[in-house]
Amino acid sequence: MIVTFSAARCRRAVLSAVVLLVILRPVHAQPSKPAKAEKVSAVAAKADRTDSLALRKLFTEALLRGESYDNLRYLTGTIGPRLSGSPQAQQAVEWGKVTMEKAGFDRVYMQPVLVPHWVRGGKERGEIVGNKGKEIRVPVCALGGSVGTGGKLKAGVVEVHSLDEVKNLPEAAIRGKFVFYNRPFDDALIEPGTAYGRAGDQRRSGAIEAAKRGAVGALVRSLTSARDDFPHTGAMAYDAAVPKVPGAALSTNAADQLSQLLKASPDLQFELEMECTTLPDEKSFNVVGEIKGSKFPQEIITVGGHLDSWDLAQGAHDDGTGVVQSMEALRLLRAAGFRPERTLRAVLFMNEENGTRGGTEYARLAQVNKETHLAAIESDGGGFTPRGFNVEATPEVLAKLVRWAPLLLPYHAADITAGHSGTDVEPLQAAVHPKALIGYDCDSQRYFDIHHTAADTFDKVNRRELELGGASMASLIYLLSKYGL
Ligand SMILES: [Zn+2]
């Protein structure tokens, strides 16, 4: 698996180099004007050398004096879980502001935004109840946004593997029961993010489809390849026209066990108890740190991660790493002595996990203020070893970005391809049409083992991997700021 993966990456790197050669070739292929050709080529080579030295400087600063890791230790360890509307989310806002002020950015400010305030309440409990009354306790957790069970909720279980299966079953098979969505991750896919995307409809819409057919609740297999006892939470939706029934995640081990027991005893029951509830919206903030551009201050490059996290753990890889890397990218540029030509903004978005209200508000304000956004980068795929960047842009803009790949090759961050950027930056597309939306791309093979679970903790983050990510983002920002798109 790893061999195939590396080979694919090498092929892409070679491709990038080929693209560069193709772009440079016309310069060398003009025999009638040798003097001019030599001059142009010398200028290109000099720019290349200057840029490669600049990137080396950023990576050296990150690896020797990087601050991401210590910042992350504070955010995850001292502040901890920071679900939107919680006191810890507010602490994170204040910490983000102070940290960027200390870093000496030109301007640090907050953007008020109203966020949903859902609370888990007491610890959840789930039990498989066998025909003879034998009870087996299994790990469960409420899905974000779920209603509570109002005491103990006990009912039979019907197992399905898709939303369509629920739609096609006779209502009598579902009414009064839990619908148990047990479609696993597709482990044959190379990118776990793709498997996550394909399995996600069960978590998001499972309770709605179940309730339409009279079910009492939805039990959803955790969205992961890992086989363990950690239930994975995550946002679920309701439809105003359909009764709200509770939605809970089962750990993969629990899902396998329930499926197996159902085969032997189709009449077994499940007992669920959850005290979660939604409170009125709370006031919160995006936090923005800005360095003014020296030549084109009206052109903005945004880099961000999300400050909120789920409540079960410290939100280390999701998305503490993106938050500290975004602040660090700007700090690195300043520490390495670069004065950016364009305006740079590190944005700590609020409420990505259960509403994207922060990202939406940032885009709305950009539109209201008639801002020009050149590009927006998001780091929200974990803080693992860099691979490169996923880009949403026209083929022409993507080709321009790919031209820089050889500069990133020494740092193994040269894989620049079309792909999903990030939930918080995407609202910018309709609002102010940036030329590129970019997602920082790192090795994601371990990300969904811990994603949205109690295991997403600081000890899962490697200092060097984290700092290399911040330097990769700073490098791309350096190039974007210098050359535009
Ligand atoms: Zn995230």
Side-chain angles (χ1 to χ4, degrees):
M1 196 101 143
I2 287 165
V3 173
T4 317
F5 197 60
S6 303
R9 280 179 56 191
C10 281
R11 267 200 307 278
R12 280 187 186 169
V14 170
L15 256 177
S16 307
V18 168
V19 168
L20 183 76
L21 284 175
V22 168
I23 291 163
L24 289 177
R25 218 169 63 187
V27 173
H28 302 291
Q30 292 177 8
S32 58
K33 295 177 184 169
K36 191 182 172 193
E38 273 164 32
K39 214 169 157 186
V40 172
S41 146
V43 169
K46 195 179 164 207
D48 218 45
R49 259 203 313 281
T50 309
D51 291 338
S52 80
L53 286 171
L55 265 53
R56 181 61 252 190
K57 220 169 166 185
L58 292 168
F59 275 89
T60 301
E61 173 68 22
L63 289 169
L64 298 185
R65 290 171 292 277
E67 295 182 3
S68 298
Y69 194 63
D70 285 338
N71 281 337
L72 185 66
R73 187 200 309 277
Y74 189 90
L75 177 64
T76 56
T78 305
I79 297 176
R82 40 197 186 279
L83 189 58
S84 290
S86 67
Q88 292 93 334
Q90 181 54 29
Q91 283 170 34
V93 164
E94 285 154 21
W95 165 84
K97 183 166 178 284
V98 169
T99 306
M100 291 203 277
E101 281 167 354
K102 277 190 196 154
F105 299 161
D106 297 336
R107 198 175 151 224
V108 179
Y109 56 98
M110 309 209 290
Q111 295 176 330
V113 56
L114 272 183
V115 294
H117 188 194
W118 176 82
V119 290
R120 187 171 295 279
K123 195 152 174 54
E124 299 98 339
R125 215 177 48 83
E127 266 177 14
I128 301 169
V129 185
N131 289 344
K132 290 171 191 149
K134 192 185 168 217
E135 293 165 355
I136 305 168
R137 184 89 178 256
V138 292
V140 294
C141 71
L143 294 176
S146 176
V147 294
T149 53
K152 290 175 182 170
L153 179 61
K154 195 168 161 186
V157 179
V158 54
E159 179 177 342
V160 298
H161 293 88
S162 69
L163 299 178
D164 280 342
E165 204 179 327
V166 177
K167 291 172 194 163
N168 294 328
L169 275 172
E171 199 174 316
I174 295 176
R175 182 158 293 282
K177 290 186 178 177
F178 284 105
V179 172
F180 167 38
Y181 294 92
N182 195 28
R183 183 166 88 254
F185 254 36
D186 183 350
D187 283 341
L189 292 166
I190 302 299
E191 301 294 339
T194 311
Y196 179 71
R198 290 192 190 171
D201 60 348
Q202 307 173 94
R203 188 190 78 199
R204 208 169 40 252
S205 310
I208 298 173
E209 289 308 323
K212 277 183 189 167
R213 319 280 289 171
V216 298
L219 305 171
V220 184
R221 180 188 183 89
S222 285
L223 301 183
T224 179
S225 285
R227 299 287 190 274
D228 61 24
D229 297 318
F230 287 103
H232 295 227
T233 191
M236 62 173 278
Y238 284 120
D239 180 332
V242 178
K244 292 181 178 182
V245 298
L250 266 62
S251 72
T252 48
N253 280 348
D256 286 342
Q257 190 178 18
L258 178 57
S259 179
Q260 209 171 26
L261 290 170
L262 272 171
K263 283 184 184 80
S265 323
D267 295 332
L268 64 71
Q269 293 198 301
F270 196 89
E271 187 174 281
L272 183 67
E273 195 173 4
M274 306 195 305
E275 296 171 2
C276 45
T277 187
T278 299
L279 303 173
D281 285 356
E282 275 283 337
K283 191 172 176 187
S284 190
F285 303 90
N286 292 329
V287 189
V288 185
E290 198 171 281
I291 298 179
K292 199 118 188 115
S294 58
K295 267 195 202 158
F296 310 104
Q298 76 286 1
E299 285 190 33
I300 296 161
I301 299 167
T302 290
V303 58
H306 65 85
L307 204 45
D308 63 307
S309 79
W310 281 108
D311 57 330
L312 294 173
Q314 299 175 343
H317 277 289
D318 189 12
D319 182 28
T321 52
V323 163
V324 297
Q325 284 172 330
S326 298
M327 299 193 292
E328 181 72 354
L330 265 57
R331 192 200 68 80
L332 288 174
L333 288 159
R334 178 151 281 193
F338 300 122
R339 180 93 202 275
E341 285 84 349
R342 290 169 168 85
T343 293
L344 311 183
R345 275 193 199 155
V347 183
L348 317 185
F349 293 99
M350 181 52 70
N351 185 230
E352 188 274 344
E353 294 292 4
N354 57 340
T356 325
R357 302 256 187 105
T360 307
E361 180 63 6
Y362 182 72
R364 189 188 72 81
L365 288 171
Q367 190 174 33
V368 167
N369 298 326
K370 300 191 167 51
E371 291 173 350
T372 304
H373 285 248
L374 180 76
I377 306 170
E378 181 160 351
S379 169
D380 186 19
F384 300 98
T385 308
R387 296 201 307 202
F389 298 93
N390 295 322
V391 180
E392 293 176 47
T394 62
E396 294 74 29
V397 169
L398 177 59
K400 280 188 189 173
L401 287 162
V402 168
R403 222 183 138 164
W404 295 329
L407 288 165
L408 289 160
L409 207 51
Y411 312 103
H412 310 292
D415 193 352
I416 299 174
T417 45
H420 170 68
S421 56
T423 306
D424 290 306
V425 296
E426 274 174 345
L428 283 170
Q429 190 53 58
V432 289
H433 323 293
K435 287 204 171 148
L437 295 178
I438 302 169
Y440 167 62
D441 184 28
C442 60
D443 174 5
S444 57
Q445 296 304 325
R446 286 165 287 153
Y447 184 54
F448 290 97
D449 291 1
I450 57 168
H451 184 247
H452 296 181
T453 73
D456 183 8
T457 47
F458 179 69
D459 56 297
K460 307 296 190 307
V461 180
N462 174 279
R463 185 184 67 80
R464 287 181 61 85
E465 292 179 2
L466 177 69
E467 303 289 2
L468 287 168
S472 302
M473 288 155 65
S475 298
L476 185 62
I477 293 167
Y478 163 87
L479 293 163
L480 283 166
S481 168
K482 187 171 172 184
Y483 296 111
L485 274 176

